Amino acid sequence: MVTTWTRHVSPATAAAVLLALGQGRLAAQPPDESLPAASNVAGALSPGIHSDGRVTFSLRAPEASSLQLAGGDGLGKGPFPMTRGADGTWSVTIAPPVPGFHYYWFVLDGVQVNDPGSETYFGYSKETSGIEIPEAGADFYGIKSVPHGEVRAKWYLSSTTGEWRRALVYTPPDYDKNPSRRYPVLILQHGMGEDETGWTRQGKAQLILDNLIAAGKAEPMIVVMDRGYASKPGAPPFALTAEVLLRDVQLAFGMFAEVVIRDLIPTIDASYRTIADREHRAMAGLSMGGMQALFIASRHLDQFAYIASLSGPVIAGTDPGEPLGASFHERFDTKTAYDGLFADPAKFNKRVKLLWLGAGSEEQQLHASISDAVAALRGSGVRVVFFESPGTAHEWQTWRRDLRDLAPRLFR
Amino acid sequence: MVTTWTRHVSPATAAAVLLALGQGRLAAQPPDESLPAASNVAGALSPGIHSDGRVTFSLRAPEASSLQLAGGDGLGKGPFPMTRGADGTWSVTIAPPVPGFHYYWFVLDGVQVNDPGSETYFGYSKETSGIEIPEAGADFYGIKSVPHGEVRAKWYLSSTTGEWRRALVYTPPDYDKNPSRRYPVLILQHGMGEDETGWTRQGKAQLILDNLIAAGKAEPMIVVMDRGYASKPGAPPFALTAEVLLRDVQLAFGMFAEVVIRDLIPTIDASYRTIADREHRAMAGLSMGGMQALFIASRHLDQFAYIASLSGPVIAGTDPGEPLGASFHERFDTKTAYDGLFADPAKFNKRVKLLWLGAGSEEQQLHASISDAVAALRGSGVRVVFFESPGTAHEWQTWRRDLRDLAPRLFR
């Protein structure tokens, strides 16, 4: 193979290319023996994970007056002040975080900014840095030599909102090889401030399913992940806040529920080889998405036979006159909660093939309220699966484990 | 529909949710009559595009000492100093940029940071903010009420590098509706510092194809977009720089070429209903990707009958002893360039169904060198299509227009 020509680019061309493309960020010198996190952009050495699990974060900022590291709960009790080195690179080494995925950011002279060394992940209603902390022995969300499904971006016009929307659709391995086979459908929703990319990017749902299906532990299924926000036609993007969500679930989720029922399900059934009945359709979500799953599925039991809420706040009371000061446990009333969904346990148990609730052991009040609701439901005779993720809080490692427990229980 | 329960969440649960989720960024007050750019995250009002085309960028940074806006060429001649308002929000309004997509960033006390109001786009080897400036009358890359294809994430194990790689694969509308139809394949590569997401996120290639196919102007085709970097097994990510690229194309592209020929093409042919021969396979790319298209396709004419380089630097000389100071035009030798690929024009014209070169009119030296090469090739009898994008430089609007011109010429 002749390669001499490869050495000959004119300097004018070279200059043009260099000017036009700019230079990519040069990788910082490795500060130590640490290895780049899997969530780093290719070539970025920081953040680096040490063999003992500690993590070092660095940013070059010679002119900065102050720099801190901050992030989600699992990262540790921050914010962490960073220290300026002689060359203007600031750094901090933190104790081993909880395994799993954690959002993080730098606070540079008072402004939250991303780490250029990290990929970005949609959270907190914006693109945010994230770090993947390996969990020893946990390979259920790793990529393995097993058949892999695809994740497809599917654009569809919503008659409800008048907008083009994008759903991400996981099709199981061999979907294209078995053109006559039909599959059940799991609708799987992200949390507040996240979007339709969360379950595949942060959650690695596609790998969890690939691995479960390869092991024969889960039924091959289609997983649909949509953007859990919807606005009225012509309206600006709906600014969903926690306050709105907790004050008025109908206002928060009503339009999205319409999108799911009127637009999303018909689109999926028309576009993919689904088994288009309630016995082969599940709705699940995490946090806000768990609230949505219960909100939507409980009102449309003709469409769903499986319902799962992963760290989703449980709605308790019924009496508009009652002050909100009462404790959750006292207020969860299985007769009236969710419009009487659980009022007749025998009927519910017959109609709903799976009610699945989960929480991380470190979710504190949320864990307590969900487990209290589970106790009340079980006490009344409602069949409910409760899954607890040990040692994790309101974070993606909880939800990855949730999906590993949940998926094998669906459609069997 | 009973909705009373929606108003009842216990304060403990509310507190837990608020604490756990954090609050999404509150949208800044609209500074004026401007409309959010389509590239903003939902709800972000800045950057805002005014009716006269000017653009205002804002960032709240009360403690910052200095703040500038900077970005790609089409944004204007920056960097642009930003001015601090009384409330600590800095802003700047710039003259109407060139229509299309432009990378941009803020320089906050000397550090390049992203705009939290923008989606991020992989460029400059990291996640970078970007702004979409509408072009009056140009709707060829807009989403319309036409049948839409899908963009699929396809994971595959590279025998060449030993790594799992992800390609993005556009399947045309109705791919799943016509289970016996087979399609030609275009491999379409990004530029240096970008990745496999560039052509769909920045380039909107899927919409350009949807629109062309719906209008009957392009043959329905599968488009494969891979990450144009590859390292030897076990090696750290290859730090491809412009210097390496211009010094040694074999070093820069050799491994990736192996991936394309040994892994990618067989994977695509095994996974999708392709027409698996050279007459139905094209390779194209922008900038560095254009160099790759010529590098790979010219050495594997048994695999490709269509070759396109979009703003790709053209390799000129052949003589290792010759100093690089000679002008490009003098040095482009149709007899020896590209290992003699063009030495026999009649043979080349018969073998290669399309050689397509393009450049933006504002690419200056790069435009001059590409158009000079075109003149030399035509002078020698080589059939080559040259497309010039008026008024645009080394930027995505050039490459969107390129694809609109190129795609209809393929496989017909």
Side-chain angles (χ1 to χ4, degrees), chain A residues 149-218:
Chain A
E150 293 177 338
V151 176
R152 308 180 177 193
K154 173 73 183 171
W155 282 264
Y156 68 100
L157 182 61
S158 165
S159 60
T160 305
T161 66
E163 68 183 340
W164 283 94
R165 295 176 62 94
R166 186 185 74 162
L168 297 181
V169 179
Y170 167 83
T171 52
D174 293 334
Y175 180 88
D176 279 345
K177 302 287 184 201
N178 297 309
S180 61
R181 181 167 177 177
R182 305 188 76 88
Y183 299 85
V185 174
L186 165 63
I187 299 178
L188 185 62
Q189 290 302 122
H190 59 82
M192 190 165 70
E194 296 171 335
D195 71 8
E196 73 274 21
T197 63
W199 265 109
T200 51
R201 303 214 56 234
Q202 290 94 305
K204 300 183 184 289
Q206 74 283 23
L207 300 179
I208 295 171
L209 267 295
D210 287 343
N211 291 333
L212 288 170
I213 292 168
K217 291 180 179 168

Side-chain angles (χ1 to χ4, degrees), chain B residues 233-277:
Chain B
F238 178 50
L240 180 58
T241 63
E243 283 85 357
V244 168
L245 186 155
L246 296 171
R247 193 183 69 238
D248 191 337
V249 179
Q250 174 64 36
L251 175 61
F253 301 150
M255 285 296 289
F256 178 62
E258 289 290 298
V259 168
V260 169
I261 300 298
R262 292 177 53 191
D263 303 324
L264 181 63
I265 290 174
T267 294
I268 297 301
D269 285 339
S271 306
Y272 301 94
R273 298 191 314 277
T274 64
I275 308 172
D277 61 36

Side-chain angles (χ1 to χ4, degrees), chain B residues 130-196:
Chain B
I131 185 167
E132 181 68 42
I133 305 293
E135 177 170 338
D139 65 352
F140 70 95
Y141 52 89
I143 192 160
K144 300 183 196 176
S145 286
V146 299
H148 290 281
E150 293 177 337
V151 177
R152 307 179 178 195
K154 173 72 183 172
W155 282 264
Y156 68 100
L157 182 60
S158 166
S159 61
T160 305
T161 67
E163 69 184 339
W164 283 94
R165 296 176 61 94
R166 186 184 73 161
L168 296 181
V169 180
Y170 168 84
T171 52
D174 293 334
Y175 179 87
D176 279 345
K177 304 285 184 203
N178 297 310
S180 62
R181 181 167 178 176
R182 304 188 77 87
Y183 298 85
V185 174
L186 164 63
I187 299 178
L188 185 62
Q189 290 303 120
H190 58 81
M192 189 166 69
E194 297 172 333
D195 71 8
E196 73 275 20

Side-chain angles (χ1 to χ4, degrees), chain A residues 5 11 23 109 150 272 324 339, chain B residues 5 11 109 243 272 324 339:
Chain A
W5 63 264
Q23 269 294 30
D109 290 348
E150 293 177 338
Y272 301 95
L324 290 174
D339 300 337
Chain B
W5 63 264
D109 290 348
E243 283 85 357
Y272 301 94
L324 290 175
D339 299 339

Side-chain angles (χ1 to χ4, degrees), chain B residues 32-56:
Chain B
D32 43 49
E33 95 304 346
S34 70
L35 293 173
S39 43
N40 289 9
V41 296
L45 300 173
S46 171
I49 302 177
H50 300 270
S51 51
D52 63 2
R54 291 174 309 131
V55 185
T56 298

Side-chain angles (χ1 to χ4, degrees), chain A residues 100-148:
Chain A
F101 174 90
H102 308 295
Y103 295 109
Y104 76 95
W105 51 88
F106 294 130
V107 183
L108 171 63
D109 290 348
V111 181
Q112 285 188 13
V113 301
N114 286 340
D115 182 350
S118 171
E119 294 282 353
T120 57
Y121 303 87
F122 203 81
Y124 302 91
S125 301
K126 63 179 189 293
E127 295 289 347
T128 302
S129 299
I131 185 168
E132 182 68 42
I133 304 293
E135 176 169 337
D139 65 352
F140 70 96
Y141 52 89
I143 192 160
K144 300 184 197 176
S145 287
V146 299
H148 290 281

Side-chain angles (χ1 to χ4, degrees), chain A residues 1-14 16-18 20-26 41-43 59-61 63-66 73 108-111 113-114 116 118-120 122 124-127 143-146 148-155 157 164 175-177 179 192 206 227 237 241-243 245-250 270-272 287-288 291 295 298-299 313-322 324-328 331 336 338-339 363 365-366 369 394, chain B residues 1-14 16-18 20-26 41-43 59-61 63-66 73 108-111 113-114 116 118-120 122 124-127 143-146 148-155 157 164 175-177 179 192 206 227 237 241-243 245-250 270-272 287-288 291 295 298-299 313-322 324-328 331 336 338-339 363 365-366 369 394:
Chain A
M1 191 179 290
V2 182
T3 59
T4 51
W5 63 264
T6 63
R7 299 180 61 83
H8 294 266
V9 177
S10 81
T13 304
V17 173
L18 287 164
L21 300 180
Q23 269 294 30
R25 179 185 38 70
L26 294 177
V41 297
L59 184 72
R60 186 166 159 73
E63 301 168 34
S65 302
S66 76
D73 282 348
L108 171 63
D109 290 348
V111 181
V113 301
N114 286 340
S118 171
E119 294 282 353
T120 57
F122 203 81
Y124 302 91
S125 301
K126 63 179 189 293
E127 295 289 347
I143 192 160
K144 300 184 197 176
S145 287
V146 299
H148 290 281
E150 293 177 338
V151 176
R152 308 180 177 193
K154 173 73 183 171
W155 282 264
L157 182 61
W164 283 94
Y175 180 88
D176 279 345
K177 302 287 184 201
M192 190 165 70
Q206 74 283 23
R227 186 179 171 78
T241 63
E243 284 84 357
L245 186 155
L246 297 171
R247 194 182 69 237
D248 191 337
V249 178
Q250 174 64 35
S271 306
Y272 301 95
S287 193
M288 178 189 83
M291 298 180 75
F295 177 84
S298 70
R299 293 175 176 205
V314 184
I315 308 289
T318 54
D319 180 356
E322 192 173 343
L324 290 174
S327 83
F328 185 89
R331 300 190 69 249
T336 57
Y338 291 88
D339 300 337
E363 294 201 59
Q365 184 61 45
L366 196 53
S369 67
H394 206 69
Chain B
M1 191 180 288
V2 182
T3 59
T4 52
W5 63 264
T6 63
R7 300 180 59 85
H8 293 267
V9 176
S10 81
T13 304
V17 174
L18 287 163
L21 300 181
Q23 268 294 28
R25 177 188 39 73
L26 294 178
V41 296
L59 184 71
R60 188 168 157 73
E63 301 167 35
S65 302
S66 75
D73 282 346
L108 172 64
D109 290 348
V111 181
V113 301
N114 286 340
S118 171
E119 293 282 353
T120 56
F122 202 80
Y124 301 91
S125 301
K126 62 179 190 292
E127 295 289 346
I143 192 160
K144 300 183 196 176
S145 286
V146 299
H148 290 281
E150 293 177 337
V151 177
R152 307 179 178 195
K154 173 72 183 172
W155 282 264
L157 182 60
W164 283 94
Y175 179 87
D176 279 345
K177 304 285 184 203
M192 189 166 69
Q206 75 282 23
R227 186 179 171 80
T241 63
E243 283 85 357
L245 186 155
L246 296 171
R247 193 183 69 238
D248 191 337
V249 179
Q250 174 64 36
S271 306
Y272 301 94
S287 193
M288 178 188 83
M291 299 180 76
F295 178 85
S298 70
R299 293 174 176 205
V314 184
I315 309 289
T318 55
D319 179 355
E322 191 174 345
L324 290 175
S327 82
F328 185 89
R331 300 191 68 249
T336 56
Y338 291 89
D339 299 339
E363 294 202 59
Q365 185 60 44
L366 196 52
S369 67
H394 206 69

